[in-house]
Amino acid sequence: FNFAGAGNCSNFNRIVRETMDSEEFIPFFRNFSWPWYMPGVEEYTTLATQYNFHEVEVWGENADRNFPDPEAMTRWIEQPSLVLFLDCLTGESKQNFRDHVVNRMIAETRQEDGTCFETFRRINLRARK
């Protein structure tokens, strides 16, 4: 198996959480449950053994990514990353939320060479049942 792990998409997750907690958007997310579960190697190891998997091997993988330009990062943000959040919003708040997240992501992740960086942490699990 291959899963998202702790630290995956750290810039995106931080910026989205901060945006959700802003005065403009907090009313839309009062009953929102974070959609992703991304534990570390230790927790995946515990879960695998807890559910009677044997010969368990779990290891992390750094798959960080540089998007070639802000437009490529924007496409990644918009589909599928923002969809679950935009579904909670109405009217022009959808566009405002999208614009805020996209603009901050580009501003905070843009590298000197024009690429945009994001962390991608993967957990690999091999086991027998």
Side-chain angles (χ1 to χ4, degrees):
F1 301 95
N2 181 275
F3 305 99
N8 192 56
C9 301
S10 60
N11 295 304
F12 176 80
N13 290 331
R14 175 182 50 80
I15 289 169
V16 166
R17 286 182 187 269
E18 289 171 3
T19 304
M20 289 169 61
D21 288 340
S22 69
E23 189 175 321
E24 179 180 357
F25 300 112
I26 201 164
F28 295 100
F29 294 101
R30 290 197 198 288
N31 297 315
F32 184 79
S33 295
W34 193 253
W36 299 299
Y37 176 68
M38 294 184 249
V41 169
E42 298 79 23
E43 189 169 345
Y44 272 119
T45 302
T46 299
L47 287 169
T49 55
Q50 178 182 349
Y51 287 97
N52 300 317
F53 283 92
H54 309 282
E55 300 175 39
V56 175
E57 295 177 69
V58 183
W59 67 98
E61 179 182 349
N62 179 342
D64 290 349
R65 185 170 165 195
N66 280 77
F67 294 87
D69 52 47
E71 292 77 23
M73 176 167 263
T74 299
R75 285 190 299 276
W76 170 75
I77 292 168
E78 290 179 329
Q79 189 62 24
S81 303
L82 271 186
V83 172
L84 296 169
F85 303 96
L86 296 179
D87 285 347
C88 297
L89 301 161
T90 59
E92 67 183 48
S93 64
K94 284 182 188 248
Q95 188 66 43
N96 292 345
F97 188 90
R98 178 252 178 231
D99 291 348
H100 184 82
V101 170
V102 167
N103 292 336
R104 277 199 57 203
M105 282 291 292
I106 291 168
E108 294 185 29
T109 68
R110 193 171 201 165
Q111 307 298 297
E112 288 183 20
D113 64 0
T115 63
C116 294
F117 174 82
E118 181 57 285
T119 59
F120 283 85
R121 301 294 190 267
R122 306 302 300 171
I123 302 291
N124 299 289
L125 184 147
R126 184 179 305 139
R128 295 186 185 275
K129 185 77 170 170

